[in-house]
Amino acid sequence: MAAIKLYAALAEWWPLLSPVDEYADEAAFFLDVLSRHYANHPSDQRRTLVEFGSGGGSNAFYLKAQFDMTLVDRSPEMLAVSHILNPECEHLVGDMRSVRLGRCFDGVFIHDAIDYMTTEADLRRAIETAYTHCAPGGVALFIPDYVRETFAPTTEHGGRDGEDRALRYLEWQYDPNPADTIYTVHFALLLREGDTVRTEHDQHENGLFARADWLRLLHTVGFAPQRLSDAYGRDIFVAMKSR
């Protein structure tokens, strides 16, 4: 399958597709969940948080208020977008399935980039990466867009105007084969620069796993997991690492 354009050739358009101000409410929720699930931590010390699949850095823009953050993503182009928002954060290129930074953090955060784990083997590898980088007494937070029980075909649209360019998109997601662990997302993009408009199509393959599979994998790797729901109806998974 061809490379995902949104994270490579079209990465500079990301702030118009998914603007940072749209992340404020959910980032506040994530901060609350992380804070409530930490084990005892000296109040006079800043906690450390690593985000795998950090993308354009929109979550980090809010989370960095309370954490010293390290941002890891496969895409150098997306890290460049993030660096504009978060110049004070450490940015590293790495794949959440295999990267090893050689240090542990008070917390591990993986937002919807976890959706790109399309097999159980890859999902387990990402969870193992989180466990390896989570300090004893720390917490890992996983935010898949869907679990098998909540998935439904949808279409969405949106976009923004920038200073010298504008973007509009249609997003269409569906599950072509409910017997496997993959659903498909198509983006139709209209990109305007001056009076010139061009179209782009981008296809994504995302993973879809049952709640029981999530909890089993988290437990097998060594976490003590629990499932929560957020204001958007998503299942999120909070995983504690014992001391």
Side-chain angles (χ1 to χ4, degrees):
M1 185 174 143
I4 295 175
K5 296 178 184 178
L6 281 173
Y7 307 145
L10 301 179
E12 64 179 354
W13 292 87
W14 182 257
L16 299 181
L17 176 81
S18 189
V20 65
D21 59 272
E22 294 182 354
Y23 290 73
D25 290 343
E26 64 173 343
F29 173 78
F30 300 148
L31 283 170
D32 178 65
V33 171
L34 288 167
S35 297
R36 287 190 287 109
H37 287 84
Y38 270 112
N40 292 334
H41 187 93
S43 59
D44 61 343
Q45 294 182 18
R46 289 264 294 180
R47 294 186 178 114
T48 57
L49 182 68
V50 60
E51 181 179 359
F52 294 110
S54 55
S58 295
N59 283 298
F61 182 76
Y62 300 97
L63 298 178
K64 67 186 179 183
Q66 294 188 26
F67 297 97
D68 290 334
M69 298 200 64
T70 296
L71 307 180
V72 182
D73 198 274
R74 290 179 61 187
S75 166
E77 295 88 350
M78 291 297 282
L79 289 174
V81 173
S82 175
H83 196 270
I84 295 171
L85 276 180
N86 306 299
E88 69 273 52
C89 295
E90 181 181 23
H91 289 79
L92 300 171
V93 176
D95 187 321
M96 72 174 73
R97 294 168 294 185
S98 57
V99 66
R100 294 295 182 266
L101 303 180
R103 51 195 156 116
C104 290
F105 300 80
D106 297 314
V108 178
F109 179 69
I110 307 182
H111 196 243
D112 54 7
I114 198 69
D115 293 338
Y116 293 100
M117 305 299 103
T118 57
T119 67
E120 186 171 301
D122 277 350
L123 181 59
R124 175 167 177 156
R125 290 172 68 192
I127 292 172
E128 288 173 344
T129 295
Y131 188 84
T132 298
H133 291 88
C134 189
V139 61
L141 184 57
F142 303 85
I143 321 291
D145 276 341
Y146 299 100
V147 293
R148 169 61 68 187
E149 293 86 344
T150 63
F151 181 82
T154 62
T155 57
E156 298 180 12
H157 61 88
R160 290 282 183 95
D161 294 340
E163 292 185 5
D164 56 358
R165 55 174 53 184
L167 175 149
R168 297 294 183 271
Y169 73 88
L170 172 67
E171 177 184 354
W172 178 25
Q173 52 191 25
Y174 60 94
D175 187 355
N177 181 8
D180 67 14
T181 59
I182 298 174
Y183 69 95
T184 299
V185 183
H186 290 273
F187 284 90
L189 302 156
L190 288 171
L191 310 176
R192 180 175 64 81
E193 295 180 277
D195 293 328
T196 302
V197 177
R198 76 178 196 267
T199 62
E200 296 281 356
H201 169 252
D202 205 18
Q203 180 175 339
H204 302 219
E205 302 292 330
N206 291 358
L208 193 60
F209 303 92
R211 290 168 178 146
D213 294 328
W214 268 98
L215 293 170
R216 172 177 52 82
L217 290 171
L218 288 163
H219 179 76
T220 299
V221 166
F223 281 119
Q226 60 179 290
R227 178 178 64 87
L228 303 176
S229 295
D230 67 7
Y232 305 95
R234 291 179 301 193
D235 285 48
I236 69 172
F237 297 91
V238 183
M240 304 296 297
K241 184 173 181 178
S242 62
R243 292 190 178 276

